[in-house]
Amino acid sequence: MSIQKSESLFQRAQQSIPGGVNSPVRAFKSVGGTPLFISKAKGTYLYDADGNRYIDYIASWGPMILGHAYEPVIKAIQEQAVYSTSYGAPTELEIKMAELIKSMVPNVDLIRMVSSGTEACMSAIRVARGYTGRNKIIKFEGCYHGHADSFLVKAGSGVATFNIQTVPGVTAGVAADTLTCAYNDLPAVEKLVQEHKGEIAAIIIEPVAGNMGCILPQPGFLESLRKICTDEGILFIFDEVMTGFRLAKGGAQERLGIDADLVTYGKVIGAGMPVGAFGGKRQFMEVVSPLGNVYQAGTLSGNPIAMIAGYTLLSILNDQPLLLKEIEDKTLYLKEGLDKVLAATGTPYVINQLGSMISIHFSDHAVTDFASAASANNQLFNKFFHAMLKRGVYLPPSAFESWFLNNALTQEDLDATIKATKESLEEIL
Ligand code: KE4
């Protein structure tokens, strides 16, 4: 398999773009090698600049839940684009989008559109601080809520992949207001809350973590956090940028039966266009400008192209909830196949999975937080990544990422992935 064009494009890209990419996780820095430059995609297949085809398990890090170039979405974008791509003024489309999301998810009376998951999470934290008058937040080591300063403290995704302990440019003052502890470590949360009584505005969490690989909340963990927040006047923020409209129509709130005070969305709600959102009960969201004084804004927030793309995709998921079940069934089929081939090798591994989020960890212990994810044999994962890539299977280029299945995957694709896994393990072990 030649990747000559990607290699020359990567050289050229590095002359004009930091690291040759517009987002670090794309650079293959932890797995090594040359990032593939993608020229097109359709359904579950990516095609790189050299014409090689890959079965895609990234789905643009989540958004392509029904597959790439999904016809109803493409058609809707094409039809809308002729009426201009942005007005900087309100449109009925934004109302329809807000009303649709409110009808699909629990606990959202008001919702504000933004242009990324980072903006959504950054704004949600500001709402919590504005509403409570408190400064500190608790986040969990290995969770990633975007690249706003407050979150780049023991963050997941690329920050974990590159093992960046403290991000230059994030001031000590900002970092001091971000308290961290291990995911699933309830005593650590209780200790922080007691030590900082009355100072904590929010606890923000990925209800199912996807930025350390896929890591599930232990039974009772989220319920206990919910009780702590209620008792202490702390806002409970679910970062559902990954889990929203994937784990269930109502996201993790519905799937896990936990009520958040604020919830953030991204990825799927834009169907691949730049969209994020934050929302919650009226009592919290009415502090947001221009209703309240917590200022938050965006030139392209709610722009018509992003709205029609997201609205079209969400409408389909809303009208056909069995689609999410189909993707979950495909994930379970894949998990069973991976389990069989991995078990046959005798090498230690765990597979974490919920809904259509899944990850493999070459570990002889359960992976329940960042430390246990980091102590897995991630060098072996890197070899596995490349062995799969050369067999036409495109996994996230880091052990600290969840895989994302899309509904364009066929039984043949899944079987090909299981076969590639068997062959890859035979090669690298
Ligand atoms: P964006 O600003 O990248 O749209 O969203 C930030 C974000 C917030 N919350 C969660 C739970 C997220 O997973 C993300 C972004 N996820 C990463 C992938 N792990 C985006 C990929 C990238 O950084 O290029």
Side-chain angles (χ1 to χ4, degrees):
M1 171 190 285
S2 161
I3 60 164
Q4 267 180 344
K5 286 190 179 151
S6 281
E7 285 165 345
S8 61
L9 286 169
F10 189 43
Q11 290 311 315
R12 192 175 127 208
Q14 292 175 78
Q15 307 314 309
S16 312
I17 305 168
V21 291
N22 281 314
S23 199
V25 286
R26 305 175 189 171
F28 280 22
K29 210 161 170 215
S30 70
V31 293
T34 300
L36 299 178
F37 280 65
I38 303 303
S39 56
K40 62 180 181 179
K42 178 67 181 165
T44 197
Y45 304 123
L46 292 172
Y47 298 86
D48 68 14
D50 294 274
N52 302 305
R53 191 194 84 169
Y54 303 88
I55 302 172
D56 181 15
Y57 283 97
I58 300 185
S60 180
W61 304 96
M64 300 303 164
I65 194 164
L66 297 183
H68 289 281
Y70 190 66
E71 263 138 44
V73 170
I74 299 302
K75 186 167 173 293
I77 292 171
Q78 287 169 331
E79 287 172 357
Q80 183 68 39
V82 299
Y83 299 117
S84 180
T85 50
S86 184
Y87 312 117
T91 62
E92 185 186 0
L93 252 180
E94 292 159 88
I95 306 170
K96 288 170 70 177
M97 180 71 159
E99 289 170 345
L100 176 61
I101 292 175
K102 281 171 64 176
S103 73
M104 293 173 78
V105 305
N107 299 311
V108 171
D109 299 325
L110 296 175
I111 187 163
R112 167 65 58 85
M113 293 292 134
V114 294
S115 298
S116 70
T118 293
E119 267 195 278
C121 295
M122 175 179 85
S123 307
I125 291 295
R126 190 179 306 145
V127 167
R129 286 171 164 154
Y131 176 82
T132 60
R134 300 175 182 178
N135 295 339
K136 295 196 183 308
I137 64 169
I138 291 179
K139 77 172 286 289
F140 295 88
E141 192 175 8
C143 283
Y144 180 70
H145 305 293
H147 66 91
D149 286 2
S150 294
F151 301 131
L152 292 180
V153 180
K154 295 187 181 178
S157 187
V159 182
T161 298
F162 306 143
N163 191 24
I164 303 172
Q165 294 307 314
T166 50
V167 175
V170 175
T171 65
V174 167
D177 279 336
T178 299
L179 308 171
T180 62
C181 55
Y183 200 82
N184 282 316
D185 187 347
L186 183 61
V189 177
E190 289 165 340
K191 184 166 179 291
L192 282 176
V193 169
Q194 289 315 312
E195 285 170 355
H196 299 275
K197 205 141 181 74
E199 297 174 27
I200 299 170
I203 294 179
I204 185 168
I205 192 164
E206 292 180 59
V208 173
N211 287 290
M212 314 179 232
C214 175
I215 292 189
L216 279 54
Q218 299 287 295
F221 180 58
L222 295 176
E223 292 80 352
S224 300
L225 293 184
R226 174 65 273 172
K227 185 175 183 320
I228 289 170
C229 288
T230 303
D231 294 348
E232 301 288 337
I234 297 170
L235 265 59
F236 197 19
I237 302 177
F238 264 19
D239 175 354
E240 293 224 44
V241 169
M242 275 199 191
T243 57
F245 311 101
R246 177 171 284 277
L247 292 186
K249 200 162 86 163
Q253 285 193 97
E254 176 191 320
R255 181 77 183 244
L256 305 174
I258 307 275
D259 292 328
D261 295 317
L262 293 174
V263 59
T264 61
Y265 298 112
K267 298 177 189 285
V268 169
I269 69 169
M273 296 302 291
V275 182
F278 63 101
K281 289 275 186 225
R282 180 177 292 276
Q283 75 179 96
F284 305 126
M285 288 296 290
E286 62 188 7
V287 304
V288 178
S289 177
L291 193 53
N293 290 332
V294 174
Y295 196 73
Q296 182 280 330
T299 303
L300 298 176
S301 297
N303 83 74
I305 307 301
M307 290 297 98
I308 197 66
Y311 183 80
T312 304
L313 183 59
L314 291 189
S315 299
I316 291 164
L317 294 175
N318 189 41
D319 297 344
Q320 303 173 52
L322 285 180
L323 288 173
L324 293 180
K325 174 86 172 60
E326 276 178 37
I327 308 172
E328 180 156 350
D329 291 344
K330 292 177 182 178
T331 309
L332 291 169
Y333 179 86
L334 178 67
K335 180 182 179 183
E336 193 182 326
L338 295 176
D339 213 11
K340 277 202 186 90
V341 296
L342 281 157
T345 67
T347 198
Y349 72 96
V350 292
I351 300 177
N352 287 348
Q353 173 268 331
L354 185 70
S356 57
M357 296 172 68
I358 185 171
S359 58
I360 294 176
H361 302 267
F362 292 104
S363 168
D364 58 3
H365 51 266
V367 176
T368 58
D369 59 14
F370 178 69
S372 47
S375 60
N377 184 347
N378 295 324
Q379 289 310 314
L380 184 57
F381 175 85
N382 295 345
K383 288 183 189 159
F384 178 64
F385 170 81
H386 281 290
M388 293 289 275
L389 194 64
K390 75 181 183 189
R391 290 174 171 83
V393 178
Y394 193 100
L395 302 177
S398 164
F400 297 105
E401 297 287 357
S402 177
W403 306 9
F404 295 96
L405 275 73
N406 72 76
N407 206 39
L409 283 160
T410 63
Q411 180 89 29
E412 186 187 1
D413 297 320
L414 298 170
D415 289 337
T417 304
I418 294 162
K419 179 170 177 288
T421 301
K422 183 174 184 300
E423 292 170 359
S424 298
L425 293 168
E426 284 163 358
E427 175 193 327
I428 64 177
L429 292 175

